[in-house]
Amino acid sequence: MDDAFIAEAQHILSADNSIVSEFWQKKYKDEAGRNWDKFYHRNSTNFFKDRNWTDREFEELRPGHAFSEQNPVLLEIGCGVGNFVWPILKRNPDIFVYACDFSTRAVGFVKANENYTEDRCCAFVCDITKDRLTDTIPPHSVDIVSAIFVLSALPPEKQADAVSNILEILKPGGRILFRDYGIYDLAQLRFKSGHKLENNLYVRQDGTLSYYFSTERLRELFAQHGGLLELENDYVVKRLVNVKREIDSDRIFTQAKFQAPIDSTAIESAMTSTTI
């Protein structure tokens, strides 16, 4: 992103001064799980494509990598209907995957899939902002946590709670692999007036939330609050061109890796001394 693009994006966003009322803000935030349940009722398993690209972006997911040896354990938060789970299980025959989502309907689709077997996968309903992951997963037993297009569905005041919850099941030395919507993304710039709840947080037409991350926000959540080591943290810019729809703009994502210190007391110390 160059300075000219950033200036133009900031100009577009500054023109929208309308904020959704406090009543509707609370309603959208309180009913986030219900609205995603409605989404999966309408779209079933047909909306998202399988995420076959994840091992290209994150080498930890490739067979033969150190994190893919000796029966690794992975947790996917916000699993939806399994579009990340199935390619990972197919590529990595020794991996075990926990998969959670706060949509009961989505988890039901995962369990009903012909590829679902309990010896390789455990899918469960969980609101990671309030339901303890350790009720299902042994503490500090997970090698890799996948957080791909999921924290953007949470209001910012609940994101730190989700991170704290994740850290309770992450092994010392374990990694969080993150990808989500970035600030100034095309989707953010195209929101019309009446959809903004607060800075970088919007509500879609179907009632689901969409938060747009900066790399600074990720550093606050995972490094400063979570006490994790920042391995990577940057923007990924993908040019989107559609001549028929007259679209020529940038899709912007944040992509990052964070690692738990080998000494788990470092995480506990950071979490008790930092609030965001």
Side-chain angles (χ1 to χ4, degrees):
M1 295 186 291
D2 59 29
D3 291 342
F5 172 82
I6 293 173
E8 176 64 18
Q10 290 176 340
H11 174 72
I12 293 172
L13 296 179
S14 66
D16 183 7
N17 296 315
S18 64
I19 302 294
V20 173
S21 70
E22 290 186 8
F23 170 83
W24 281 103
Q25 286 192 42
K26 185 177 187 305
K27 185 175 177 64
Y28 288 132
K29 292 176 180 181
D30 290 347
E31 297 182 359
R34 175 188 291 184
N35 287 329
W36 276 106
D37 236 25
K38 291 179 179 178
F39 172 90
Y40 288 113
H41 176 70
R42 289 190 302 272
N43 296 289
S44 182
T45 60
N46 302 317
F47 191 83
F48 297 111
K49 296 179 180 179
D50 281 353
R51 291 173 174 168
N52 295 304
W53 51 267
T54 53
D55 64 329
R56 295 196 300 270
E57 299 292 338
F58 300 107
E59 62 183 13
E60 292 85 350
L61 302 176
R62 300 172 193 164
H65 189 276
F67 275 86
S68 296
E69 296 177 351
Q70 299 180 347
N71 302 317
V73 176
L74 180 146
L75 165 65
E76 187 195 13
I77 56 173
C79 66
V81 298
N83 299 104
F84 171 87
V85 173
W86 313 129
I88 288 296
L89 289 175
K90 183 178 180 179
R91 283 196 303 264
N92 299 270
D94 298 323
I95 201 169
F96 184 88
V97 175
Y98 289 101
C100 71
D101 200 286
F102 60 7
S103 167
T104 302
R105 192 179 298 274
V107 172
F109 282 129
V110 173
K111 289 186 172 182
N113 190 287
E114 61 181 6
N115 296 308
Y116 183 82
T117 57
E118 293 185 352
D119 61 330
R120 299 206 59 206
C121 184
C122 173
F124 60 103
V125 177
C126 180
D127 180 343
I128 59 171
T129 67
K130 61 182 180 181
D131 301 330
R132 295 283 297 276
L133 287 167
T134 51
D135 289 343
T136 302
I137 305 172
H140 305 299
S141 64
V142 172
D143 298 284
I144 301 172
V145 174
S146 162
I148 298 178
F149 296 107
V150 57
L151 292 190
S152 56
L154 305 177
E157 66 269 18
K158 294 184 178 182
Q159 291 167 0
D161 292 333
V163 171
S164 298
N165 198 2
I166 292 167
L167 297 181
E168 291 186 355
I169 53 84
L170 188 64
K171 281 182 180 179
R175 292 185 182 181
I176 297 176
L177 309 180
F178 181 96
R179 183 163 171 141
D180 218 319
Y181 303 110
I183 55 170
Y184 313 139
D185 178 48
L186 172 64
Q188 181 182 19
L189 301 181
R190 295 183 71 183
F191 271 112
K192 293 187 169 33
S193 180
H195 289 264
K196 185 177 180 180
L197 277 67
E198 56 185 89
N199 284 341
N200 298 325
L201 179 66
Y202 297 80
V203 60
R204 300 185 183 94
Q205 199 69 37
D206 61 5
T208 59
L209 301 180
S210 185
Y211 182 82
Y212 295 84
F213 285 93
S214 66
T215 54
E216 291 79 10
R217 174 61 178 168
L218 294 185
R219 189 169 295 119
E220 288 179 357
L221 283 171
F222 292 102
Q224 297 174 12
H225 168 72
L228 301 178
L229 306 176
E230 181 181 304
L231 303 180
E232 296 180 13
N233 185 11
D234 208 347
Y235 297 103
V236 175
V237 180
K238 301 286 188 181
R239 194 72 180 172
L240 176 63
V241 178
N242 187 318
V243 176
K244 184 176 181 180
R245 296 177 61 188
E246 298 183 347
I247 296 174
D248 184 359
S249 191
D250 290 330
R251 295 307 312 267
I252 299 172
F253 309 106
T254 44
Q255 184 163 305
K257 298 180 187 180
F258 295 92
Q259 181 167 316
I262 301 300
D263 180 6
S264 61
T265 60
I267 296 180
E268 296 172 2
S269 175
M271 289 175 60
T272 55
S273 62
T274 306
T275 57
I276 61 174

Coordinates of all heavy atoms in Angstrom, one line a residue, residues 73-121:
V73 N -1.0 -31.8 16.6 CA -2.4 -31.5 16.9 C -2.7 -30.1 16.5 O -1.9 -29.2 16.8 CB -2.7 -31.7 18.4 CG1 -4.1 -31.2 18.8 CG2 -2.4 -33.1 18.9
L74 N -3.8 -29.9 15.8 CA -4.1 -28.5 15.3 C -5.5 -28.2 15.8 O -6.4 -29.0 15.8 CB -4.1 -28.5 13.8 CG -4.4 -27.2 13.1 CD1 -3.5 -27.0 11.8 CD2 -5.9 -27.1 12.7
L75 N -5.7 -26.9 16.1 CA -7.1 -26.4 16.4 C -7.4 -25.4 15.4 O -6.7 -24.4 15.1 CB -7.1 -25.8 17.8 CG -8.4 -24.9 18.1 CD1 -9.7 -25.7 18.0 CD2 -8.2 -24.1 19.4
E76 N -8.6 -25.5 14.7 CA -9.1 -24.5 13.8 C -10.2 -23.8 14.5 O -11.2 -24.4 14.9 CB -9.6 -25.0 12.5 CG -9.9 -23.8 11.6 CD -10.7 -24.1 10.4 OE1 -11.3 -25.2 10.3 OE2 -10.9 -23.2 9.5
I77 N -10.1 -22.5 14.8 CA -11.2 -21.7 15.4 C -12.0 -21.1 14.2 O -11.4 -20.7 13.2 CB -10.7 -20.7 16.3 CG1 -9.7 -19.7 15.7 CG2 -10.1 -21.3 17.6 CD1 -9.3 -18.5 16.5
G78 N -13.3 -21.2 14.4 CA -14.2 -20.7 13.3 C -14.1 -21.6 12.1 O -13.9 -21.2 11.0
C79 N -14.4 -22.9 12.3 CA -14.2 -23.9 11.3 C -15.3 -23.9 10.2 O -15.1 -24.4 9.1 CB -14.2 -25.3 11.9 SG -15.7 -25.8 12.7
G80 N -16.4 -23.2 10.5 CA -17.5 -23.2 9.5 C -17.9 -24.6 9.1 O -18.1 -25.4 10.1
V81 N -18.0 -24.9 7.9 CA -18.5 -26.2 7.5 C -17.3 -27.2 7.1 O -17.5 -28.2 6.5 CB -19.5 -26.1 6.3 CG1 -20.7 -25.4 6.7 CG2 -18.8 -25.5 5.1
G82 N -16.1 -26.7 7.4 CA -14.9 -27.6 7.2 C -14.1 -27.4 6.0 O -13.3 -28.2 5.6
N83 N -14.2 -26.2 5.4 CA -13.4 -25.9 4.2 C -11.9 -25.9 4.4 O -11.1 -26.0 3.4 CB -13.9 -24.6 3.6 CG -15.3 -24.6 3.2 OD1 -16.2 -24.0 3.9 ND2 -15.7 -25.3 2.1
F84 N -11.5 -25.7 5.6 CA -10.0 -25.8 6.0 C -9.7 -27.2 6.4 O -8.6 -27.7 6.1 CB -9.7 -24.8 7.1 CG -8.3 -24.9 7.7 CD1 -7.2 -24.3 7.1 CD2 -8.1 -25.7 8.8 CE1 -5.9 -24.4 7.6 CE2 -6.8 -25.8 9.4 CZ -5.8 -25.2 8.8
V85 N -10.6 -27.8 7.1 CA -10.3 -29.1 7.8 C -10.1 -30.2 6.8 O -9.1 -30.9 6.9 CB -11.5 -29.5 8.7 CG1 -11.4 -30.9 9.2 CG2 -11.7 -28.5 9.8
W86 N -10.9 -30.3 5.7 CA -10.8 -31.5 4.8 C -9.5 -31.5 4.0 O -8.8 -32.5 3.9 CB -12.0 -31.5 3.9 CG -13.3 -31.4 4.6 CD1 -14.3 -30.5 4.3 CD2 -13.7 -32.1 5.8 NE1 -15.4 -30.7 5.2 CE2 -15.0 -31.6 6.1 CE3 -13.2 -33.1 6.6 CZ2 -15.7 -32.1 7.2 CZ3 -13.9 -33.5 7.7 CH2 -15.1 -33.1 8.0
P87 N -9.0 -30.3 3.5 CA -7.7 -30.4 2.8 C -6.6 -30.7 3.7 O -5.6 -31.4 3.3 CB -7.6 -28.9 2.2 CG -9.0 -28.4 2.1 CD -9.7 -29.0 3.2
I88 N -6.6 -30.2 4.9 CA -5.5 -30.5 5.9 C -5.5 -31.9 6.2 O -4.4 -32.6 6.3 CB -5.7 -29.6 7.2 CG1 -5.4 -28.1 6.9 CG2 -4.9 -30.1 8.3 CD1 -4.0 -27.9 6.5
L89 N -6.6 -32.5 6.5 CA -6.6 -34.0 6.9 C -6.2 -34.8 5.7 O -5.5 -35.8 5.9 CB -8.1 -34.4 7.3 CG -8.6 -33.9 8.6 CD1 -10.0 -34.3 8.8 CD2 -7.7 -34.4 9.8
K90 N -6.5 -34.4 4.5 CA -6.1 -35.2 3.3 C -4.6 -35.1 3.1 O -4.0 -36.1 2.7 CB -6.9 -34.7 2.1 CG -6.6 -35.4 0.8 CD -7.4 -34.9 -0.4 CE -7.1 -35.6 -1.7 NZ -7.9 -35.1 -2.8
R91 N -4.0 -33.9 3.3 CA -2.6 -33.7 3.0 C -1.7 -34.3 4.1 O -0.6 -34.7 3.9 CB -2.3 -32.2 2.9 CG -2.6 -31.6 1.5 CD -1.9 -30.3 1.3 NE -2.2 -29.4 2.4 CZ -3.2 -28.4 2.3 NH1 -4.0 -28.4 1.2 NH2 -3.4 -27.6 3.3
N92 N -2.2 -34.3 5.3 CA -1.4 -34.7 6.5 C -2.1 -35.9 7.2 O -2.9 -35.7 8.1 CB -1.3 -33.5 7.5 CG -0.7 -32.3 6.9 OD1 0.5 -32.1 6.9 ND2 -1.5 -31.4 6.3
P93 N -1.7 -37.1 6.8 CA -2.3 -38.3 7.4 C -2.1 -38.5 8.9 O -2.9 -39.3 9.5 CB -1.7 -39.4 6.5 CG -0.4 -38.9 6.1 CD -0.6 -37.4 5.8
D94 N -1.1 -37.9 9.5 CA -0.9 -38.1 10.9 C -1.4 -37.0 11.8 O -1.3 -37.1 13.0 CB 0.6 -38.2 11.1 CG 1.3 -39.4 10.4 OD1 0.6 -40.4 10.3 OD2 2.4 -39.3 9.9
I95 N -2.0 -36.0 11.2 CA -2.5 -34.9 12.0 C -3.8 -35.1 12.7 O -4.7 -35.9 12.1 CB -2.6 -33.6 11.2 CG1 -2.5 -32.3 12.0 CG2 -3.8 -33.6 10.3 CD1 -2.3 -31.0 11.3
F96 N -4.0 -34.6 13.9 CA -5.4 -34.6 14.5 C -5.9 -33.2 14.6 O -5.1 -32.3 15.0 CB -5.3 -35.2 15.9 CG -6.7 -35.3 16.6 CD1 -7.4 -36.5 16.4 CD2 -7.2 -34.3 17.3 CE1 -8.7 -36.6 16.9 CE2 -8.5 -34.4 17.9 CZ -9.2 -35.5 17.7
V97 N -7.1 -33.0 14.2 CA -7.7 -31.6 14.1 C -8.9 -31.5 15.1 O -9.8 -32.2 15.0 CB -8.1 -31.3 12.7 CG1 -8.8 -29.9 12.6 CG2 -6.9 -31.3 11.7
Y98 N -8.7 -30.5 16.0 CA -9.9 -30.0 16.7 C -10.5 -28.8 15.8 O -9.7 -28.0 15.3 CB -9.5 -29.4 18.1 CG -9.1 -30.4 19.1 CD1 -7.8 -30.7 19.4 CD2 -10.1 -31.2 19.8 CE1 -7.4 -31.6 20.3 CE2 -9.7 -32.1 20.7 CZ -8.4 -32.3 21.0 OH -8.0 -33.3 21.9
A99 N -11.8 -28.8 15.7 CA -12.4 -27.7 14.9 C -13.7 -27.2 15.7 O -14.5 -28.0 16.1 CB -12.9 -28.3 13.6
C100 N -13.7 -25.9 15.9 CA -14.8 -25.3 16.6 C -15.4 -24.1 15.9 O -14.7 -23.5 15.1 CB -14.4 -24.9 18.1 SG -13.3 -23.5 18.2
D101 N -16.7 -23.9 16.2 CA -17.4 -22.7 15.6 C -18.5 -22.4 16.6 O -19.0 -23.3 17.3 CB -17.9 -23.1 14.3 CG -18.2 -21.9 13.4 OD1 -19.3 -21.2 13.7 OD2 -17.5 -21.6 12.5
F102 N -18.9 -21.1 16.6 CA -20.1 -20.8 17.5 C -21.4 -21.0 16.8 O -22.4 -20.7 17.4 CB -19.9 -19.4 18.2 CG -19.9 -18.2 17.3 CD1 -20.0 -18.3 15.9 CD2 -19.6 -17.0 17.8 CE1 -19.9 -17.1 15.1 CE2 -19.5 -15.8 17.0 CZ -19.7 -15.9 15.7
S103 N -21.4 -21.5 15.6 CA -22.6 -21.8 14.9 C -22.9 -23.3 15.0 O -22.1 -24.2 14.6 CB -22.5 -21.5 13.4 OG -23.6 -22.1 12.7
T104 N -23.9 -23.7 15.7 CA -24.3 -25.1 15.9 C -24.6 -25.7 14.6 O -24.2 -26.9 14.4 CB -25.6 -25.2 16.8 OG1 -25.3 -24.5 18.0 CG2 -26.0 -26.6 17.0
R105 N -25.2 -25.0 13.7 CA -25.5 -25.6 12.4 C -24.2 -25.9 11.6 O -24.1 -27.0 10.9 CB -26.4 -24.6 11.6 CG -27.0 -25.2 10.3 CD -27.9 -24.2 9.6 NE -29.0 -23.8 10.5 CZ -30.2 -24.4 10.6 NH1 -30.4 -25.5 9.9 NH2 -31.1 -24.0 11.4
A106 N -23.2 -25.0 11.6 CA -22.0 -25.2 10.9 C -21.3 -26.5 11.4 O -20.8 -27.3 10.7 CB -21.1 -24.0 11.0
V107 N -21.2 -26.6 12.8 CA -20.6 -27.8 13.3 C -21.3 -29.1 13.0 O -20.7 -30.1 12.7 CB -20.5 -27.7 14.9 CG1 -20.0 -29.0 15.5 CG2 -19.5 -26.5 15.2
G108 N -22.6 -29.0 12.9 CA -23.4 -30.1 12.4 C -23.1 -30.6 11.0 O -23.0 -31.8 10.7
F109 N -22.8 -29.6 10.1 CA -22.4 -29.9 8.8 C -21.0 -30.6 8.8 O -20.8 -31.6 8.0 CB -22.3 -28.7 7.9 CG -23.7 -28.2 7.4 CD1 -24.1 -26.8 7.6 CD2 -24.5 -29.0 6.8 CE1 -25.3 -26.4 7.2 CE2 -25.8 -28.6 6.3 CZ -26.2 -27.2 6.5
V110 N -20.1 -30.2 9.6 CA -18.8 -30.8 9.7 C -19.0 -32.3 10.1 O -18.4 -33.2 9.5 CB -17.9 -30.1 10.7 CG1 -16.6 -30.9 10.9 CG2 -17.6 -28.7 10.2
K111 N -19.7 -32.5 11.2 CA -19.9 -33.9 11.7 C -20.6 -34.8 10.7 O -20.5 -36.0 10.7 CB -20.6 -33.8 13.0 CG -19.8 -33.3 14.2 CD -20.6 -33.4 15.5 CE -19.7 -33.0 16.6 NZ -20.3 -33.1 18.0
A112 N -21.5 -34.2 9.8 CA -22.2 -35.0 8.9 C -21.5 -35.3 7.6 O -21.9 -36.1 6.8 CB -23.5 -34.3 8.5
N113 N -20.3 -34.7 7.5 CA -19.5 -34.9 6.3 C -18.9 -36.3 6.2 O -18.5 -36.9 7.3 CB -18.3 -33.9 6.2 CG -17.6 -33.9 4.9 OD1 -16.8 -34.8 4.6 ND2 -17.8 -32.8 4.1
E114 N -18.9 -36.9 5.1 CA -18.4 -38.3 4.9 C -17.0 -38.5 5.3 O -16.5 -39.6 5.6 CB -18.6 -38.8 3.5 CG -17.8 -38.0 2.5 CD -18.1 -38.5 1.0 OE1 -18.9 -39.3 0.9 OE2 -17.4 -38.0 0.1
N115 N -16.2 -37.4 5.3 CA -14.8 -37.4 5.7 C -14.5 -37.3 7.2 O -13.4 -37.4 7.6 CB -14.0 -36.3 5.0 CG -14.0 -36.5 3.5 OD1 -13.7 -37.6 3.0 ND2 -14.4 -35.5 2.8
Y116 N -15.6 -37.1 8.0 CA -15.4 -36.9 9.4 C -15.3 -38.2 10.1 O -16.2 -39.0 10.0 CB -16.6 -36.1 10.0 CG -16.5 -35.8 11.4 CD1 -15.8 -34.7 11.9 CD2 -17.1 -36.5 12.4 CE1 -15.7 -34.4 13.2 CE2 -17.0 -36.2 13.7 CZ -16.3 -35.1 14.1 OH -16.2 -34.8 15.5
T117 N -14.2 -38.4 10.8 CA -14.0 -39.5 11.7 C -13.4 -39.1 13.0 O -12.5 -38.2 13.0 CB -13.1 -40.6 11.1 OG1 -11.8 -39.9 10.8 CG2 -13.6 -41.1 9.8
E118 N -13.9 -39.6 14.1 CA -13.5 -39.1 15.4 C -12.1 -39.5 15.8 O -11.6 -38.9 16.7 CB -14.5 -39.6 16.5 CG -15.9 -39.0 16.3 CD -16.8 -39.4 17.4 OE1 -16.5 -40.3 18.2 OE2 -18.0 -38.9 17.5
D119 N -11.5 -40.4 15.1 CA -10.1 -40.7 15.4 C -9.1 -39.7 14.8 O -7.9 -39.7 15.1 CB -9.8 -42.1 14.9 CG -9.9 -42.3 13.4 OD1 -10.8 -41.6 12.8 OD2 -9.2 -43.1 12.8
R120 N -9.7 -38.8 13.9 CA -8.8 -37.8 13.3 C -9.3 -36.4 13.5 O -8.6 -35.4 13.3 CB -8.7 -38.1 11.8 CG -8.0 -39.4 11.4 CD -7.4 -39.3 10.1 NE -6.3 -38.3 10.1 CZ -5.9 -37.7 9.0 NH1 -6.5 -38.0 7.8 NH2 -5.0 -36.8 9.0
C121 N -10.5 -36.2 14.0 CA -11.1 -34.9 14.1 C -12.1 -34.8 15.2 O -12.9 -35.8 15.4 CB -11.8 -34.5 12.7 SG -12.4 -32.8 12.7

